[in-house]
Amino acid sequence: MDFKTKEEVHNRAVQIENIKQKDLIKMLNLHIKGNKNAMGDVFEAWFGKPKDSASQPDLGVSELKATPFKRLKNGDISAKERLVLNIINYEDLDKENFENSHLLEKNKVLELGYYEYNKDIPKEDWFFAKCVMYEMLNNKNDLEIIKKDWEIIQSYVKQGKAEEINEGITNYLAACTKGVNKHSMRTQPNSNVMAKQRAFSLKGSFMTTLLRDYIFGNKHSDAIIKDSTELSTQSLEDIIHSKFKPFIGKSVKEIVNDLNIPIKEIKTIGKYNVEIVNRILGIKSRNGIEADEFKKASIVPKTVQFNQRNTNKESMSLPPFKFKDLVEENWNDKDGSPEASLNVYFSETKFLFVVFKTDDDGINYLKGIKFFRVPEDQREGVIREAWQQTVDTLLSGVKLTFENNRVSNNLISSKDRKIIHVRPHAAKSSYVDSKDSNELPVPANWTNKPSEYSDNFMTTQSFWLNSRYIKSAVEDLL
């Protein structure tokens, strides 16, 4: 097939929607061995494209990408993984500028075929739910942030430090490991040190936001940056710092007055923290602190309240997990890239801690903000150990003890001081099949089990970031 315009590609793409994989294979007379990449192979075959590794866009005018999404237990839609673009040639990257880069030339128009990853139905019954044309050049704010990410990655190559590149250094565009295995290496121009082979990719958080806001019609979040020209001279982090700067060191009472936040008698001053952050950033949200840029860049904002003794009582909850999914994960994939959900979360996530502290007179102050990433050695060290301990505990049968009308377990706790711990992430405790529980991979080992409780279900849990660890990350602001 010959496609002269991106519109022709898109018109062809939407015709594939809702046709099952097995029917597409018959229609296209395909002979696919195995089904790991079947959806991608079928999508390309739909356009008459042969398998290759060409540096030009697949169809000249558009790059084709089949990409999976999943439905979470609460009904939300989420991208299953990052979107891998093209392999990075460090030798070429060193000489390029963004406007004439291989990345932009190949990927400025993406024809995305979204299909649902659903383990509960046979893969041959999977289908493309939605096809979307995403144009980088038409999304000015996204483009400016992607450009700065590209320049950050390039700067490592120019400094002869390609071996130090990781997915945590950028916001939307990442450089993920990509090769036959984790030992796949490439030369770099400004150093004799071999560096891991990497590919440009759009982060999972970015792909999830595209899904929710642009494709499945969920309400679009407010953007912090109203004018893309702001990004021509400043980074996203610089802009956020500049918005907070006039208020740092002021009391909550002063800030509430400066921002004309209505005083409510039922609210204590400390309860204004989230509203203050939203007002400073110029966003409106009914669900905590939500902004378009935060979602796409996997920036997790968190207000941290300290008392006069420099104590913060609250640990921070991470996304809940299903026990059966957790034990089936590998910490890293064959490329050495993060695969387990917790590993992906910490490798991609940048925390924005907004720190408040009350003084001896009970007056609450905004002390400052800090962007923070969990260091790689901690992620691959103590956090990985805690994750593995959790997996091993579940596979050997979690120990549950009923005593004094409550259930305790032997999952990792904050007292273990391993940066993270496991605790409930549900409205109510539940040890039967319910919306507040999920199924265990191995029956629990009970002590004093009530007759109405099950061996096979346990209250939904999540990992939590320890309060002491959060304090250590922001202690310089106190």
Side-chain angles (χ1 to χ4, degrees), residues 1-5 8-9 12 47-49 58-61:
M1 298 181 193
D2 185 26
F3 297 93
K4 294 183 174 58
T5 67
E8 287 181 6
V9 174
R12 171 66 177 169
F47 298 88
K49 180 194 172 293
D58 288 332
L59 301 175
V61 291

Side-chain angles (χ1 to χ4, degrees), residues 38-79:
M39 293 301 281
D41 292 343
V42 167
F43 193 58
E44 291 188 347
W46 182 252
F47 298 88
K49 180 194 172 293
K51 294 286 289 183
D52 61 36
S53 56
S55 60
Q56 300 300 315
D58 288 332
L59 301 175
V61 291
S62 300
E63 177 74 0
L64 304 174
K65 292 291 181 183
T67 185
F69 67 90
K70 58 185 178 180
R71 296 182 190 273
L72 306 180
K73 191 171 182 179
N74 64 3
D76 284 346
I77 298 291
S78 175

